[in-house]
Amino acid sequence: MALVVARDLVKRFGSLTAVDKVSFSVDRGEVVGFLGPNGAGKSTAMRIISGFMEPTSGQAWIDGHDSHTDPIAARRRLGYLPEGAPAYADMTVGAFLEFIAAMHGMSKAKANARLAELVERVDLAEVWNQRIESLSKGFKRRVAIAQALVHDPDALILDEPTDGLDPIQKYEMRDLIRSIASRKAIIISTHILEEVEAVCTRAIIIAKGRLLADATPAELLARAPSNGTLALALATADPQGAIDILSKHPGVGQVDVVQRVNGVTRIAVRTSKSRPSPAEITSLLGRSNIAVTEFYMERATLDDVFRQITGHGAEN
Amino acid sequence: MREVLVVFRREFAAYFATPVAAVFLIVFLALAAGMTFLVSGFFDRGQADLSGFFFWHPWLFLVLMPAIAMRLWAEERRSGTIEILMTLPVQPWQIVLGKWLAAWAFAALALVLTMPLWITVNVLGSPDNGVILSSYIGSWLMAGAFLALAAAISALTKSQVLAFIGATAVSFLFVMAGFDLVISVVRQWAPGFIVDAVRSMSFFAHFQHITDGVLELPSIVFFVSLIVFCLWLNVRAIEVKKAA
């Protein structure tokens, strides 16, 4: 059995079905990205797996222990960062983490050793004696992460660990997650797609409570709409000739002028799978003495896949 | 029990993390002293006892105990820390007990700070110290019942204000249960044994028995069982909220 298993989780709030038959499992060494629009049911699913909320039906296990019928054993093996990274605002960072360690049954000596190590890792030494309410958002988030790591759990559930962080803090947070990933099963929820590409080995897409995809980022990218866009910069102020030539190619759809500056025109060429190769394009345009100064293919992104899968269309 | 102690320590320290504790203690002492000296006429009565002091406790506690207990759970819900607390590897009853004990210990501190009154009556005369001691114990037990009730109500909401109002309203019924105001309403529709049952719920009457003289066993049993029942309700409230 995998470290974290969810089977047929259902959660209804009155007439609203927040989580609708969600099943998946996460093994040691995996970092699974929980993706979905706001209100998709990500947090609800995480609350159920952590044992904070009871499902309407279905079961969840942490390392073989049911989160609801065997909650103490399950929680010993789980670190959980709730949405919004809550912490006791009137405590100091040190007192808060010592409290968490004590609640995990760690002896004073063991807790001190572990916290000393953790403080280095999560970089909290300079704020150790400060009250949590006085900390910046980045530090608060790190305190909440540290709280989930105090007992060095095998499974980690992190609800939006990088939400509200600046780019450097986001980078550091991802670094931290990557550094512990090999020994743990980690679930992180996010609506930032680049985060999935940066840290996740697998992505699960949820919308309206239903699991719509469960695959590696590469597999998901392969599902991207096949019509890629070529961006070209041409050394001419009048691109009409080039547009006419390119439009004749069977693999080319619409061609748009993006920008005209100082005798250079940038155009965007929508292409299908039978798109012309770079060499073909330069030779076609070369025949009419149009020089291509820049050339790149816009890569399909998880954004496209995400919009497609969650049914928000590929209209843009 | 270790977990209970860990929760207790955190909660008790939390009272002193802000000036609220100091303000509370000052208000309690000022009200208790004001009632004793001004309203009950401590000096004019010419008796070396503290009955004029203890008489006011049910009324003071009616407002002050919900104020101590209102944040216990409501604040956890509002700030989201309840998600951390309830996913730690401890049983809900351990957390419920630890939180209540912290509030009860704080109430004990407030009572201990009124001890100069006890010393004063001993300087001025020769009071029955046994009665005063049993009154203090009875007062503390009654405070525990008010706190357990308020803590259970606090577990139902994320608003401290609602928790306070709800707890005060319910406590008011318990204090007033022995008074004709409540009893006459109950008598109109309920059979005799229910009227008696309601009357026997009166905090005021039970506390009166204790301050009148000896620590009466039925009154002690009443407060202790009410505390146990409310703590059980508190655990249930958390479990029900979890499934909601």
Side-chain angles (χ1 to χ4, degrees):
Chain A
M1 200 180 208
L3 255 176
V4 180
V5 178
R7 187 181 295 161
D8 295 330
L9 294 182
V10 175
K11 182 68 186 180
R12 289 195 196 91
F13 299 108
S15 61
L16 174 83
T17 305
V19 174
D20 194 0
K21 286 221 163 237
V22 167
S23 302
F24 63 90
S25 60
V26 184
D27 251 323
R28 198 181 293 275
E30 281 191 295
V31 181
V32 170
F34 236 48
L35 275 169
N38 288 329
K42 302 186 296 272
S43 290
T44 306
M46 290 176 134
R47 283 182 179 140
I48 293 172
I49 297 165
S50 72
F52 175 69
M53 192 180 262
E54 252 165 53
T56 307
S57 65
Q59 273 176 290
W61 292 269
I62 311 289
D63 198 14
H65 300 277
D66 189 302
S67 325
H68 299 281
T69 58
D70 190 7
I72 305 293
R75 290 169 192 174
R76 278 190 212 293
R77 293 156 175 84
L78 172 73
Y80 175 47
L81 169 72
E83 189 179 18
Y88 293 109
D90 54 20
M91 293 180 99
T92 65
V93 173
F96 175 58
L97 294 179
E98 280 161 10
F99 166 69
I100 299 291
M103 289 292 269
H104 278 289
M106 292 164 83
S107 68
K108 197 108 189 149
K110 204 179 152 204
N112 285 342
R114 171 64 185 159
L115 290 179
E117 180 196 337
L118 196 59
V119 158
E120 286 304 308
R121 178 145 228 172
V122 192
D123 202 9
L124 284 172
E126 60 180 295
V127 296
W128 188 252
N129 290 313
Q130 272 188 44
R131 275 178 184 238
I132 291 170
E133 64 192 349
S134 72
L135 300 180
S136 68
K137 217 166 181 181
F139 273 121
K140 274 185 190 160
R141 187 85 20 172
R142 270 187 263 172
V143 170
I145 293 265
Q147 163 274 130
L149 291 171
V150 163
H151 53 306
D152 198 14
D154 284 334
L156 267 180
I157 295 180
L158 309 175
D159 201 344
E160 303 200 337
T162 62
D163 189 42
L165 299 188
D166 68 33
I168 293 167
Q169 292 166 336
K170 275 186 184 152
Y171 177 83
E172 288 170 353
M173 185 64 72
R174 287 169 199 161
D175 228 28
L176 174 71
I177 293 171
R178 266 192 299 261
S179 73
I180 55 176
S182 62
R183 295 174 291 116
K184 300 184 191 304
I186 303 178
I187 303 174
I188 66 171
S189 84
T190 178
H191 43 246
I192 307 168
L193 296 154
E194 58 179 279
E195 200 150 278
V196 175
E197 291 188 88
V199 296
C200 298
T201 58
R202 198 145 62 85
I204 287 175
I205 296 179
I206 295 188
K208 297 195 179 105
R210 272 204 292 274
L211 193 152
L212 300 178
D214 180 353
T216 65
E219 284 166 350
L220 286 176
L221 277 175
R223 293 195 205 176
S226 56
N227 46 338
T229 300
L230 292 171
L232 300 182
L234 308 173
T236 169
D238 176 20
Q240 199 50 51
I243 293 172
D244 291 343
I245 293 166
L246 290 170
S247 300
K248 284 190 190 118
H249 194 282
V252 170
Q254 203 182 329
V255 181
D256 296 307
V257 176
V258 180
Q259 191 189 41
R260 280 183 230 228
V261 182
N262 300 334
V264 175
T265 307
R266 291 177 186 280
I267 58 172
V269 184
R270 302 273 169 95
T271 62
S272 66
K273 266 203 172 122
S274 55
R275 69 179 68 93
S277 69
E280 216 176 334
I281 288 177
T282 32
S283 86
L284 274 172
L285 295 178
R287 270 179 238 157
S288 309
N289 284 325
I290 302 169
V292 179
T293 58
E294 280 174 37
F295 186 112
Y296 61 89
M297 178 86 202
E298 280 176 7
R299 197 168 146 261
T301 64
L302 278 178
D303 279 276
D304 304 325
V305 186
F306 184 70
R307 273 200 297 272
Q308 188 188 332
I309 290 176
T310 56
H312 287 271
E315 66 264 27
N316 39 1
Chain B
M1 261 338 253
R2 213 190 88 98
E3 292 85 352
V4 176
L5 198 67
V6 175
V7 175
F8 169 82
R9 274 208 304 265
R10 197 206 80 74
E11 290 291 341
F12 192 68
Y15 280 111
F16 299 93
T18 61
V20 170
V23 170
F24 177 89
L25 290 172
I26 290 166
V27 168
F28 171 72
L29 293 176
L31 282 177
M35 293 298 183
T36 308
F37 290 108
L38 302 177
V39 185
S40 294
F42 179 71
F43 290 118
D44 302 336
R45 290 173 62 221
Q47 283 180 27
D49 67 22
L50 285 180
S51 59
F53 164 66
F54 287 112
F55 174 81
W56 297 102
H57 283 202
W59 306 107
L60 287 177
F61 289 1
L62 174 62
V63 181
L64 294 175
M65 293 304 140
I68 295 181
M70 64 185 183
R71 53 158 271 281
L72 285 180
W73 291 97
E75 181 59 16
E76 301 261 8
R77 264 189 216 293
R78 191 197 58 76
S79 69
T81 46
I82 193 162
E83 283 198 54
I84 290 177
L85 193 61
M86 299 312 291
T87 51
L88 288 167
V90 295
Q91 305 281 358
W93 70 262
Q94 294 170 319
I95 299 172
V96 167
L97 187 58
K99 277 177 175 285
W100 173 76
L101 280 175
W104 203 31
F106 188 76
L109 177 66
L111 283 174
V112 165
L113 290 177
T114 66
M115 294 272 178
L117 268 179
W118 194 355
I119 297 166
T120 306
V121 287
N122 272 285
V123 171
L124 295 177
S126 45
D128 185 339
N129 283 319
V131 172
I132 293 177
L133 179 65
S134 73
S135 299
Y136 264 113
I137 294 172
S139 175
W140 191 40
L141 271 177
M142 181 172 65
F146 274 114
L147 289 171
L149 199 63
I153 290 168
S154 172
L156 294 171
T157 173
K158 61 178 164 192
S159 156
Q160 292 198 41
V161 174
L162 276 184
F164 176 79
I165 293 171
T168 307
V170 176
S171 302
F172 184 69
L173 289 180
F174 270 101
V175 172
M176 294 295 288
F179 286 73
D180 279 343
L181 186 73
V182 172
I183 291 298
S184 61
V185 174
V186 177
R187 196 175 280 132
Q188 284 170 12
W189 55 270
F193 72 93
I194 290 187
V195 175
D196 288 342
V198 170
R199 201 199 304 272
S200 72
M201 289 289 168
S202 169
F203 277 25
F204 202 86
H206 282 291
F207 185 58
Q208 203 90 65
H209 292 164
I210 293 173
T211 52
D212 275 352
V214 280
L215 265 177
E216 251 195 40
L217 190 62
S219 294
I220 293 173
V221 170
F222 167 76
F223 283 126
V224 171
S225 27
L226 190 67
I227 288 169
V228 172
F229 178 70
C230 287
L231 293 179
W232 175 81
L233 273 184
N234 196 338
V235 174
R236 284 297 305 149
I238 289 160
E239 283 166 356
V240 167
K241 278 269 176 185
K242 193 174 151 186

